[in-house]
Each structure stands twice: as structure tokens, then as C-alpha cells.
Amino acid sequence: MQKIAQVIVDVPAMQVDRPFDYLIPEAWRDIVCPGMRVSVPFGNRALQGFVVGTSDSSEFSKLKEIREMMDLAPVINEELLSLGDWIAEETLAYRITAYQAMLPAALRAKYEKYFVLLDTANDEAERLFEGYETMDWKKAEQLGALPTLQKWLKNGTVDLVYQVKTKVTKKTMRAVRSLCSVQQLEDAIAGLSKSAKAQIKILQFFQVFDGDYITVKELRERVQTTDATIQKVASLGLIEIFDQHVSRDPYENHDFEASKPLPLLPDQQAARDAIVNSAQTGNQETFLLYGVTGSGKTEIYLQSIEAVLAEGKEAIVLVPEIALTPQMVERFKSRFGKQVAVLHSALSAGEKYDEWRKIEQGKAKVVVGARSAVFAPFMNLGIIIIDEEHETSYKQEDNPRYHARDVAIERAKRHGCPVVLGSATPSLESFARAGKKRYTLLELPTRVNDSALPEVTVVDMSEELRNENRTEFSAVLLEKIKERLAKKEQVVLLLNRRGYSSFVMCRDCGYVVECPNCSISLTYHQAHNQMKCHYCGYQEAVPHHCPSCESEQIRYFGTGTQKVQESLAKLIPEARVIRMDVDTTSKKGSHEKLLNQFRDKEADVLLGTQMIAKGLDFPDITLVGVLNADTMLHLPDFRASEKTFQLLTQVSGRAGRHLLTGEVIVQSYNPEHYSIQYAKMHDYLGFYHHEMRVRKMGSYPPFYYLTLINVSDENEMKAVRTIQEITQFLQGKLGPDAIILGPVPSSIARIKNKYRYQCIIKYKVEPQLNAELKNILQHYQKEQVKGLTITMDVQPFVMM
Ligand code: ADP
Ligand code: ZN
Ligand code: ZN
């Protein structure tokens, strides 16, 4: 009987975004299963594809055959395949793009495959491998051995290794193994002269050692010996030194001190119990763990995971990329040891692949990682935790444009397990859902050590200007920094880079030029000295006088960390400053190095961008200064106030977490702005209610959903025409509640010589919207081949 595979081929295009039937060659009939990659003929090319199903018949005749198998075990399990289909559907991405996003980059590159014999006691396998440790895939295929090898792969007799051709190679380490039995070692010891103490120690070690091998380095440490002695014993033929493949554990050079669960405080206990009980019901439930900074959320994550592991299940912990610091990783590694895999972008492709393999092979039970770790190939998920759930980096700004929170909940439904969203400043969307009981709210209102939240002082920078202070530092901030230096305490200074230099503001009164239609600030476009609204297209020239106070000090804004460092050096020459920004942390490990220096008190001041707002927990930080609280406030983004409030709250949380009391100075040209005032009062709820009113008035999330459509083309007229057609088409299709903003030029009006235009759809319920949007993509398919680009971002976070 014939057997057919349904294959999604690697062509990201609408008309091929569906399975094609291929005949499975006789020899592979029992091997091919969903989630494996194959090479198939497509048109006159050979393409890679994913098998998504198999069947005994096809409605098509004259099927082409699969050319080549690329895997022997699925690289995407069935649950992830269906999750991929869901993502493709929800985010309007192609299925192939969704599948690719789930795999480590190394599996997308060119590689060679070979089998490694693991169980040398298996005679049949020994024979097949002809005494070699490895066998090339091609050879195995020629021998017709793939079906057998697939079986052995499942029962652990062999392993299949993908060796990437580019740079990413397996790492080896010098290792030692014993070649003798315990008795033979005993005899050898007896035969050695009593003075050969050092050699005897090594032999004695191997008498009691029960592992397969030990690295030379570890052996040296364990028996306090030298390479020369190990060599000498090896020359006797008793032990052997060889190169052992090791997976590159990026944290292997760290010694993590084991940590024990702490007795929980009552609020923590209640939260942990609710999560663990839910995990045991097998129903999917989403928790919003709302706890101030330092309230012990991480300890709850740890103990919930512990309970889940005890049931034989696995855990995913998502952390924003910039918060994925060694400090954070250490907390998980020190509790769960080698069961923890870490996935983040600073790892090389090879390292990521190794971590992914640990998960896939069941060696790791907990993964801590950035956004894409939500796809960790676990089979038996028991919990998904998303720390700092409000962070926008959980949204992927590239196809597939998924949000890790939505994917996590969808995945958790398939496993019947809880999702825990943790934050001191939950996103408005999540808090609103908790209000509607779609999420279960868990609260931790106080810090663990009862230390008070730091006192926040807001300094009006226009006042400073009136007093002739034109530096980045207010008098009071300078004063306080000097105080800390005298007391040998530490200072963190945040320079808010987001929204940098793109808005126009009056230096005297803080007035920011806003769009008359949209209540968001206008963006400064240097080329034409114009200000534009990103949402509706309104524009005007930069005024010469402030419309509010007539001052001439109105101009666009911005300053960099380097400049701040220089002026600080002039103002307080004795301050030792560590600067942390994209420039100083681009090298791998430099982030960690700088933090360690700061922790070891090699500096008094840590000056940096957003990346210092998270996760820092040093006892001697007693002063936090925010140099420019406003910049973000004027981004052309309806989330501007929310982001400002979150950032100020986060960074304040860095001060006085331990015995010393902390203090925060916030410098602002808009000291009365509600996001700054509520942050000053540590009043999340106050902020939430205020901001909800603003969102309701503006018809923004969480009251409305958004979809952003962007069209770009080298020919500006074509881009304009297309976006107009799309807008018109949609106007006829949407319900009366829906609002379409635009079309307007995108705020980045041209990228790579392509003109960009956009429109934003605001809607409440539009069940047909996705289908209509797909129709649009389909309609412009031919144009897209010629270079027209249409992107559709469902629930966008970046509006440019
Ligand atoms: P969050 O994640 O909410 O910012 P953390 O989990 O980092 O808070 O906790 C803050 C500090 O309190 C950490 O140093 C942590 O070890 C400590 N801590 C947490 N829970 C307890 C507890 N039950 N008893 C004692 N110390 C705790
Ligand atoms: Zn003014
Ligand atoms: Zn506008």
C-alpha cells in the first residue's frame, strides 16, 4: 500500500501556505512521521519542508516522491506543530514561518548528520558501526539502515548529531577514564612502589569512581594532582586520556551555590498554593501575580516549579532579554542545578542548540529564557511563568509577530497547566483581564523584609533652567550623589534613551507639541524641520516660540550617556563611574563584568540606559537618579504613559532593597504628569484607573483591539495607492464599531529606499477580520513578488 506525507514547503508565500502531498519512498514508509523535515521536489527545485501529517491515500494522482529525509525523529512535536498552526492563523503568518521560529537557528543552517553509537554492549549495533564510534547519515542511508537506527534512536542505543558546518562545532575536553576493573586497579596499586603516592591516589580514585569518565581538570582538583602524574598513570596503560565531546554549557564556569526553599511568608504561601493546586487540577488557569519589587515573586516561581517537577513535569520561565542577567540565572541554577537550560540571545548558535538538545532529550526540566523559550520542546509541561509580564520585548517584531504571553496561554491549554504572569507593574491589558476574572489575581502588597519603598522626589528641570543650571544634573541630585560618595554608598543613574531626540519641547515650561486630533506628541523630522503625527498624518512646522509661554527655548530634545558621563566627570571629578549602554555591553560577558565590578564596589556610580532598570539587587545602592523621566512620555505611542510609569517604578525598586533606606530623584520637565506623580506615590492602582480612563476616551487597548497594516514600495505612488485601496476595502467590510486611522505615511517614512504608509484598525469584535486581511494578502500576491511589501501586525506594540 502506498503511503503519503503532507508537507509544508519552505516557500513563504500565500499560495503555497498549505500542505502538499508527496509519496513516501518504500524504504522510509515506517520512518516518516509528523514534525520531521524532508527534502522534496517543488517545481524544478528541491526544497526543505515539514511533514505535518501522513495518510494512505491522496486525492491527487501522479504524486512526486520525497527526495530525502532530514531527520529521524520529529524536530517539532505534534503539540508544537498545532501550536504553530494557531500562531500562523492568529498572527497572519505563514505556517512555515511559524515552524521555523520554533527551532534553534543551528537547525536552520547547513549541517552534517551522523550517528553516534552509545550502547556498545549492543552486538548488532556494534556490527553495523563496524567498530567505529560514529557513522555518517549518507552511509546509513545507503546501507538501508535508517529504520533500524530510528528504533535505536528511540531506545537510546544511538544518538543522531547535527553538526553545523559553519563555525558551530562541538566542543571537546580532555577527559580520563579507567581501563581496568576494581581488582586490576588493586593489583596495580600493590605493584607500585610505596613512594609513588601521587599515582596511587589516582588509581584509588578510580576504584571508587562510578562515572564513565572525568575531565582532566576535575580529576586534578579532586585528587590534588598534576597533569604530569595523570600522564604517568596513563603511560602504564591503566587509564586513558581522550577527547570527550561536551555540550557547551555557557554557565559551566560558574559555581552556583545550592539554595534551599525559604519558608514562605503568608501572602507568598497563599499564592504558591493557589498555583500548585491549579497545576494539579489539569485545567488551564492564568494567574496574575501582582507584587511590588522585592515582594518575593521569584521565590514563589521557584517553589511552584519545585512542586511541578515533583510531579514529573517540566517548567518554562520567560524573562525579558535585558533582565536575563547572570544574577537571575543563578537563582534558578542554584535551586535546580543541572536540570536548568538557559536560552538567550547572547549565546552562540551552537550553545543555543546544545541547550535545546538538553531540553529535547529530557536532560533539562526547567528552561529559563527570553521570548522564544516559550517553544522549548517539552512534552509534559507543568507550568509556564512569565516574569515582568508587562515588558514589550515579549512581542516579536518580525514574522511571526506573536506575543509570548498569548502563545504561553495557548500552549498551556494544550497541557492543562497554569501560566503565571508576574509583575510589579502589570500591563493594563493583564490587569483589566484580572479585573474581569479571566486571570486569577494574586497579590503581594509588601516587600519581604518590610523595607519601605524608597522616597521619591520629583525635580522640576525647568526650574533648574531658570536658575541658570544647564547641565543634566539638578542641584539636589548632585548634592545627594556627593552625600553617597562620602558615605561609601552606591548610586544608580538612569538615562532614558527611548524616545530620544525625537520630540519637540519647550525647555522653559515643558510644553510638548501634540497632535490636535490624537493627543499624542508630534515626531520631529529633521530633514524638513517638520513635526508629524504618526497616527493621523497631521503635520506642522517647528514653532519658533513656545505656544504656551512664548519662550524661544523650544527645540527637539536628546542627550547621550557618554555626554552625561563627561559632564559628571566635570561636576564630581572624584566619582568613579561605570557606564552601561549598548556600546559598552556589546561584547559577550561585558554586561556581567561591569555588574560584577559595580557589586565589588570598584565604582560609586552606575550610569546606564534602560538595561540597568531590571534585576539589580545590590545592598549598597541607596540612591537612584532618573535623569530624564519624560523622553518616553512623548513617544508617538498610546502606551507612552504606561511605559514611563513602569520604568520609574522598576528603577525605583533598585534602591534600598536591603538594610539601608533608599531614595529616588526623578528629574522631569513635566513633574505634574500623572505617570510621574503616581510613580512617585508608588500607586499602581491610582495609575491604572487614571490610564484606563485615558484609554477609554481614545478608544485604545484594552478597550479596543488594534491591527496595524503597513505597505511599502520603492514607488511611492504605488505604496499610496495600495494603502488607499486596502483602507477602502476594509471600510466596506468592518462593523460600525470599528475605526480606521489613516492611511498616513509611517513615522519612519522610508526604509531602504522604500516608502512606507500605514493604517491602524481599532475594533472590538470583528470575527471576519483575519479572513479579510488574508484576502488582502492574497489579492496583492503578484505585486508582492515584484517588491511591494505588506505587513500586518495584530496587536502591535511598535506603531512606526
Ligand atoms: P521580586 O521577584 O518580587 O522582586 P525576590 O523574589 O527577588 O522579589 O525577593 C526579594 C528578596 O527577598 C530576595 O533577596 C529573596 O531571596 C528574599 N526572599 C524572598 N522570599 C523570602 C522569604 N520567604 N523569606 C526570606 N527571604 C525571602
Ligand atoms: Zn514654554
Ligand atoms: Zn494625529
Side-chain angles (χ1 to χ4, degrees):
M1 193 172 50
Q2 63 172 4
K3 208 168 160 202
I4 317 290
Q6 285 80 48
V7 178
I8 302 266
V9 293
D10 192 359
V11 181
M14 195 53 115
Q15 66 277 41
V16 297
D17 189 32
R18 59 177 176 83
F20 287 84
D21 282 359
Y22 284 91
L23 205 57
I24 305 174
E26 178 86 50
W28 302 336
R29 280 213 183 138
D30 300 325
I31 302 180
V32 174
C33 67
M36 287 181 184
R37 293 164 308 157
V38 290
S39 166
V40 293
F42 193 82
N44 49 9
R45 300 179 284 174
L47 287 180
Q48 186 187 310
F50 284 86
V51 176
V52 293
T54 55
S55 60
D56 296 332
S57 63
S58 168
E59 49 181 305
F60 304 98
S61 52
K62 285 205 247 161
L63 291 180
K64 291 182 189 165
E65 276 199 344
I66 290 176
R67 282 168 42 121
E68 203 187 327
M69 308 261 326
M70 306 185 70
D71 305 298
L72 272 192
V75 290
I76 299 185
N77 65 40
E78 297 221 23
E79 175 238 337
L80 287 172
L81 273 181
S82 88
L83 188 74
D85 296 345
W86 178 87
I87 289 172
E89 194 60 37
E90 291 291 310
T91 69
L92 301 167
Y94 303 117
R95 287 166 75 178
I96 190 76
T97 314
Y99 300 155
Q100 298 282 23
M102 297 177 167
L103 292 178
L107 276 184
R108 280 175 255 153
K110 284 224 174 297
Y111 52 80
E112 279 165 1
K113 299 185 289 264
Y114 58 89
F115 296 93
V116 180
L117 182 58
L118 299 176
D119 179 9
T120 45
N122 183 326
D123 289 341
E124 199 188 340
E126 273 278 74
R127 243 175 288 130
L128 183 66
F129 277 69
E130 297 171 329
Y132 292 104
E133 277 178 43
T134 62
M135 177 173 20
D136 192 62
W137 171 285
K138 280 263 173 299
K139 177 157 187 213
E141 202 175 346
Q142 281 158 14
L143 292 174
L146 290 182
T148 316
L149 285 162
Q150 186 184 36
K151 247 179 273 148
W152 287 345
L153 196 60
K154 273 191 196 135
N155 68 21
T157 307
V158 302
D159 190 13
L160 177 59
V161 175
Y162 296 85
Q163 178 154 13
V164 179
K165 281 179 193 160
T166 49
K167 314 192 277 274
V168 195
T169 47
K170 286 264 157 188
K171 200 174 136 187
T172 60
M173 263 179 106
R174 300 293 284 163
V176 190
R177 64 184 158 217
S178 161
L179 297 174
C180 323
S181 66
V182 175
Q183 186 55 48
Q184 285 169 318
L185 288 169
E186 190 62 50
D187 296 345
I189 291 168
L192 281 170
S193 119
K194 287 273 177 306
S195 62
K197 275 207 191 93
Q199 297 177 43
I200 292 175
K201 260 190 348 202
I202 292 175
L203 295 175
Q204 283 171 337
F205 171 83
F206 278 105
Q207 280 189 300
V208 292
F209 178 65
D210 60 1
D212 294 334
Y213 65 89
I214 179 168
T215 63
V216 170
K217 177 166 170 266
E218 205 184 333
L219 181 62
R220 252 188 346 239
E221 282 161 15
R222 293 266 287 268
V223 287
Q224 292 295 308
T225 187
T226 61
D227 283 349
T229 316
I230 298 173
Q231 285 287 352
K232 215 176 279 167
V233 182
S235 67
L236 300 175
L238 300 168
I239 61 173
E240 178 190 36
I241 304 172
F242 65 105
D243 286 323
Q244 170 65 31
H245 285 285
V246 286
S247 61
R248 291 147 289 212
D249 181 347
Y251 293 92
E252 72 189 343
N253 294 326
H254 297 256
D255 279 327
F256 293 105
E257 236 170 82
S259 80
K260 289 228 166 51
L262 300 166
L264 295 177
L265 298 167
D267 285 335
Q268 283 180 309
Q269 188 69 46
R272 180 249 171 227
D273 290 348
I275 295 165
V276 172
N277 288 340
S278 164
Q280 275 153 0
T281 64
N283 294 324
Q284 199 282 322
E285 185 174 2
T286 303
F287 293 92
L288 178 60
L289 179 60
Y290 160 50
V292 296
T293 48
S295 58
K297 293 187 290 296
T298 312
E299 189 61 34
I300 297 175
Y301 304 154
L302 291 167
Q303 298 199 21
S304 305
I305 293 171
E306 192 183 342
V308 161
L309 294 182
E311 305 258 307
K313 297 185 174 174
E314 301 120 0
I316 294 177
V317 184
L318 301 186
V319 176
E321 189 69 55
I322 52 171
L324 196 48
T325 56
Q327 272 191 329
M328 188 71 189
V329 171
E330 180 176 348
R331 295 186 69 175
F332 287 86
K333 286 247 174 186
S334 61
R335 192 68 55 90
F336 302 115
K338 292 219 179 300
Q339 297 184 83
V340 180
V342 180
L343 289 172
H344 70 92
S345 63
L347 302 183
S348 70
E351 286 169 334
K352 273 189 219 152
Y353 173 64
D354 287 343
E355 296 295 289
W356 185 84
R357 283 272 288 171
K358 273 198 235 162
I359 300 163
E360 195 217 358
Q361 296 177 325
K363 287 181 189 152
K365 301 284 183 199
V366 180
V367 59
V368 181
R371 182 180 59 230
S372 63
V374 74
F375 301 120
F378 286 128
M379 303 292 280
N380 198 9
L381 256 182
I383 192 168
I384 305 179
I385 290 162
I386 305 187
D387 192 30
E388 314 277 11
E389 71 88 29
H390 59 275
E391 274 291 316
T392 49
S393 64
Y394 286 125
K395 172 77 195 293
Q396 170 147 310
E397 293 304 339
D398 206 348
N399 289 328
R401 297 169 189 269
Y402 67 92
H403 196 296
R405 191 203 297 137
D406 303 332
V407 174
I409 293 173
E410 184 63 25
R411 222 189 148 183
K413 279 185 198 158
R414 290 149 204 262
H415 288 271
C417 77
V419 172
V420 180
L421 310 173
S423 178
T425 52
S427 64
L428 253 68
E429 285 90 338
S430 292
F431 207 75
R433 276 177 209 154
K436 288 186 161 175
K437 308 270 188 262
R438 282 177 54 200
Y439 298 167
T440 308
L441 185 65
L442 303 170
E443 287 185 80
L444 301 176
T446 52
R447 282 181 157 186
V448 169
N449 53 7
D450 254 337
S451 64
L453 287 162
E455 168 122 12
V456 180
T457 310
V458 181
V459 180
D460 182 352
M461 289 304 276
S462 345
E463 191 68 28
E464 295 290 313
L465 263 175
R466 280 194 278 281
N467 297 333
E468 301 293 303
N469 177 2
R470 289 182 187 277
T471 70
E472 295 88 347
F473 296 88
S474 60
V476 53
L477 180 55
L478 274 185
E479 202 47 48
K480 302 260 180 204
I481 295 175
K482 286 179 189 157
E483 252 175 60
R484 307 300 139 137
L485 292 187
K487 286 200 274 183
K488 304 246 175 298
E489 292 172 5
Q490 291 185 300
V491 181
V492 167
L493 293 178
L494 174 83
L495 182 75
N496 190 353
R497 279 277 311 244
R498 248 182 255 160
Y500 172 65
S501 83
S502 60
F503 64 97
V504 174
M505 180 170 88
C506 169
R507 277 211 164 206
D508 283 334
C509 75
Y511 176 87
V512 169
V513 185
E514 289 192 344
C515 172
N517 309 324
C518 304
S519 79
I520 52 156
S521 55
L522 294 177
T523 302
Y524 176 67
H525 288 250
Q526 200 170 12
H528 305 102
N529 203 35
Q530 286 269 322
M531 299 176 302
K532 282 188 191 157
C533 171
H534 288 185
Y535 284 180
C536 74
Y538 172 86
Q539 61 172 306
E540 63 179 58
V542 177
H544 298 291
H545 298 274
C546 168
S548 169
C549 76
E550 297 287 306
S551 158
E552 287 180 11
Q553 296 278 356
I554 185 157
R555 58 198 53 162
Y556 79 94
F557 241 65
T559 185
T561 38
Q562 198 165 354
K563 182 153 168 277
V564 173
Q565 187 176 17
E566 284 160 17
S567 31
L568 186 59
K570 280 194 205 114
L571 295 164
I572 316 179
E574 69 274 23
R576 296 169 304 162
V577 180
I578 288 180
R579 177 161 64 95
M580 220 161 94
D581 56 24
V582 208
D583 298 334
T584 63
T585 56
S586 54
K587 273 225 305 274
K588 194 172 148 187
S590 51
H591 187 245
E592 179 182 11
K593 210 168 112 202
L594 292 174
L595 282 181
N596 287 343
Q597 285 173 359
F598 189 60
R599 184 200 55 209
D600 298 341
K601 304 197 78 170
E602 289 169 28
D604 314 297
V605 178
L606 180 65
L607 164 68
T609 51
Q610 263 74 355
M611 64 175 72
I612 62 170
K614 304 250 148 55
L616 276 182
D617 190 4
F618 300 140
D620 291 323
I621 301 174
T622 56
L623 176 65
V624 169
V626 180
L627 298 172
N628 54 343
D630 318 277
T631 46
M632 225 162 36
L633 217 43
H634 306 302
L635 276 177
D637 181 342
F638 68 90
R639 288 191 179 87
S641 304
E642 184 181 6
K643 285 179 184 161
T644 301
F645 176 82
Q646 285 163 348
L647 180 68
L648 293 180
T649 307
Q650 287 291 345
V651 74
S652 304
R654 300 305 120 210
R657 287 166 70 89
H658 299 261
L659 294 174
L660 304 166
T661 354
E663 192 179 355
V664 180
I665 305 283
V666 174
Q667 303 189 152
S668 167
Y669 286 94
N670 301 269
E672 298 306 322
H673 192 280
Y674 65 94
S675 61
I676 294 176
Q677 284 300 319
Y678 283 119
K680 169 182 155 72
M681 295 180 289
H682 306 290
D683 184 1
Y684 174 80
L685 284 180
F687 173 77
Y688 171 79
H689 291 300
H690 188 124
E691 182 67 8
M692 284 294 270
R693 285 196 295 277
V694 174
R695 298 285 180 89
K696 189 162 191 182
M697 279 185 2
S699 306
Y700 281 113
F703 296 96
Y704 275 75
Y705 293 113
L706 301 183
T707 293
L708 172 72
I709 302 180
N710 188 299
V711 171
S712 61
D713 197 278
E714 280 183 9
N715 177 339
E716 186 165 13
M717 277 324 295
K718 189 164 169 187
V720 172
R721 212 170 47 234
T722 310
I723 192 79
Q724 280 172 346
E725 282 168 13
I726 291 175
T727 314
Q728 260 163 25
F729 173 80
L730 284 171
Q731 251 145 9
K733 299 284 179 190
L734 298 176
D737 272 353
I739 302 163
I740 302 184
L741 296 180
V744 294
S746 302
S747 51
I748 309 173
R750 200 163 67 151
I751 294 180
K752 289 184 186 157
N753 280 327
K754 279 186 155 187
Y755 292 89
R756 307 170 77 239
Y757 284 82
Q758 69 182 40
C759 70
I760 295 173
I761 313 163
K762 297 179 176 178
Y763 57 98
K764 279 185 188 262
V765 208
E766 293 290 340
Q768 287 310 310
L769 182 60
N770 273 17
E772 298 295 357
L773 295 174
K774 275 197 167 175
N775 282 340
I776 293 174
L777 289 174
Q778 178 92 48
H779 180 80
Y780 290 101
Q781 193 74 55
K782 277 213 195 82
E783 300 296 318
Q784 292 189 62
V785 177
K786 288 190 229 152
L788 178 84
T789 310
I790 302 179
T791 58
M792 297 192 170
D793 194 350
V794 183
Q795 316 322 331
F797 275 77
V798 176
M799 306 292 168
M800 311 198 248

